[in-house]
Amino acid sequence: MKNNFIMVLGMALVTYIPRMIPLAILPGVKLPSYLKSFLSFIPIAVLSALIFPAFISSTGRPLTAILGAITAFILAYKEKNLIFVVLGAIFAVFVSSLIF
Amino acid sequence: MVVGNKFKENKINFKKGFKTGLPVAIGYLPIALTFGLLARNSGLSFLNTFLMSVMVFAGASQFVAVNLVALGTGIGEVVLTTFILNFRHFLMSASLSQKLKDNIPPKWLFFLSFGITDETFSVASMQNKDIEGFFLFGLNLISYSAWVIGSIFGHYLGASLPEIIQSSMGIALYAMFIGLLVPNLKESKTAVFTVLITIIVSSSFYLLRNIVDISKGWEIVLVTIIASIIATIFFPEGVSGDEK
């Protein structure tokens, strides 16, 4: 019980420190332009790395996951609100798991 | 008068962040419920489960931790695994530091940085403008609340959503990531290039998984760094270089 709390505390520290250090140091620091460019690519690279290939196993069945992802892609391409993209994909997975 | 306007502006930004975070909250709820349930099943007390969600606020690592607890793994290993798995936030924090409004008081950054997750970072960094402190606060708060409340209910109820709802909602955060990514692809060729490069790098890691055996945490960090370096070599102007 007490050990588990110490574990939680340790987890909290090692999670918080990497989150905090760049934001505590970098604002206001003049970075070289190549580093700024590098940092500007991170959101898109992270998003792609998070989606691919993990989404395939997100619903327990590759087929429904792929249909959900395609639905999300189409809704996003049509510039629907993010909330509809999410709900639409959930609905697509729901319907396709009833059918297939 | 000026103070009054500032207060109003902060309130508007906070509300906007809160609303923008709704898809994150929807995605978090079912995962948090499952986390609470798994934590309970692996013998973690209600209090420690609650505290883990309150103090760590990092989904994947919390799942790994309760699995390791169930296996009886030592504290040191759990903490080390957590560190490796969550190190990617370092990159996100660094990237976010270039997108925040420079009027945010430094001490606020210690507080706001706690809320950086894959999801809040993705939503924040895909905003068109520089990010206001109160916007980020609102976004973090709704996401955090969903995570903590979901964990509490999962542990307390000892049950999850019906199987089909649960698996359908499994797509939620990925759908959100796709929803955040696609508009960039329409606007910028460098974004398309970056996505393709990342998929190639990520696939290479997958194909070489028997030779290069690294943990999931380092893999996301390495894939992101390698893809961003390649993109910087081809487009030294950065991601917005060809927009507008």
Side-chain angles (χ1 to χ4, degrees):
Chain A
M1 199 72 163
K2 203 179 162 195
N3 277 347
N4 282 341
F5 176 69
I6 292 167
M7 178 188 79
V8 170
L9 206 62
M11 290 175 68
L13 274 178
V14 298
T15 303
Y16 176 62
I17 291 169
R19 276 173 174 163
M20 177 270 287
I21 287 179
L23 263 190
I25 295 174
L26 291 181
V29 177
K30 189 100 184 81
L31 296 175
S33 67
Y34 65 87
L35 206 55
K36 278 196 154 175
S37 298
F38 169 78
L39 291 175
S40 78
F41 284 112
I42 285 185
I44 289 178
V46 159
L47 273 175
S48 315
L50 288 171
I51 298 168
F52 192 87
F55 82 94
I56 294 173
S57 46
S58 65
T59 64
R61 285 174 65 201
L63 178 68
T64 59
I66 289 167
L67 288 173
I70 291 171
T71 307
F73 188 93
I74 292 169
L75 291 173
Y77 197 81
K78 292 189 167 175
E79 290 172 25
K80 300 291 176 204
N81 191 301
L82 196 53
I83 202 83
F84 292 114
V85 175
V86 170
L87 294 177
I90 293 173
F91 186 70
V93 174
F94 181 79
V95 171
S96 61
S97 36
L98 287 177
I99 298 173
F100 301 112
Chain B
M1 196 55 200
V2 174
V3 174
N5 278 340
K6 188 76 203 153
F7 179 76
K8 216 172 152 188
E9 207 188 304
N10 289 344
K11 209 172 134 184
I12 291 170
N13 283 324
F14 175 80
K15 271 192 183 165
K16 209 173 143 221
F18 203 81
K19 259 193 202 157
T20 311
L22 193 62
V24 180
I26 292 177
Y28 275 0
L29 269 177
I31 303 174
L33 278 171
T34 311
F35 166 72
L37 173 68
L38 272 178
R40 176 184 167 134
N41 291 345
S42 68
L44 202 65
S45 69
F46 180 82
L47 186 64
N48 279 328
T49 304
F50 170 72
L51 287 175
M52 195 189 281
S53 285
V54 166
M55 291 165 61
V56 181
F57 186 36
S61 65
Q62 293 184 219
F63 274 96
V64 173
V66 293
N67 278 328
L68 292 177
V69 167
L71 294 171
T73 314
I75 292 178
E77 199 181 328
V78 175
V79 173
L80 182 66
T81 309
T82 304
F83 173 73
I84 293 169
L85 201 53
N86 290 338
F87 189 75
R88 63 186 188 281
H89 298 136
F90 184 88
L91 287 174
M92 299 181 195
S93 174
S95 177
L96 202 60
S97 75
Q98 303 303 301
K99 235 191 113 67
L100 288 180
K101 269 268 174 81
D102 42 21
N103 63 358
I104 304 173
K107 62 180 171 199
W108 264 75
L109 296 175
F110 285 93
F111 165 67
L112 290 173
S113 62
F114 171 78
I116 298 175
T117 64
D118 298 342
E119 293 75 20
T120 58
F121 164 74
S122 304
V123 170
S125 55
M126 289 306 167
Q127 299 300 307
N128 288 324
K129 298 181 299 179
D130 278 357
I131 303 157
E132 301 274 356
F134 274 86
F135 174 88
L136 193 56
F137 178 42
L139 168 64
N140 285 354
L141 187 68
I142 188 173
S143 314
Y144 185 64
S145 308
W147 182 249
V148 173
I149 292 169
S151 312
I152 293 174
F153 273 95
H155 195 287
Y156 180 73
L157 299 173
S160 200
L161 297 167
E163 170 64 25
I164 187 163
I165 306 282
Q166 184 77 26
S167 61
S168 304
M169 289 189 80
I171 198 77
L173 292 177
Y174 294 98
M176 187 186 79
F177 291 149
I178 292 170
L180 290 167
L181 198 53
V182 168
N184 293 282
L185 305 182
K186 288 176 77 172
E187 267 176 33
S188 138
K189 286 195 185 69
T190 52
V192 176
F193 178 84
T194 311
V195 171
L196 292 177
I197 286 294
T198 312
I199 290 176
I200 292 169
V201 176
S202 172
S203 306
S204 315
F205 271 87
Y206 181 75
L207 294 173
L208 297 172
R209 66 191 178 282
N210 292 326
I211 307 162
V212 190
D213 184 25
I214 54 167
S215 68
K216 201 76 211 150
W218 288 134
E219 188 180 316
I220 289 180
V221 171
L222 280 177
V223 168
T224 304
I225 291 178
I226 294 170
S228 300
I229 288 176
I230 296 173
T232 310
I233 292 170
F234 278 89
F235 300 98
E237 302 296 303
V239 77
S240 52
D242 66 348
E243 277 174 37
K244 285 151 218 154

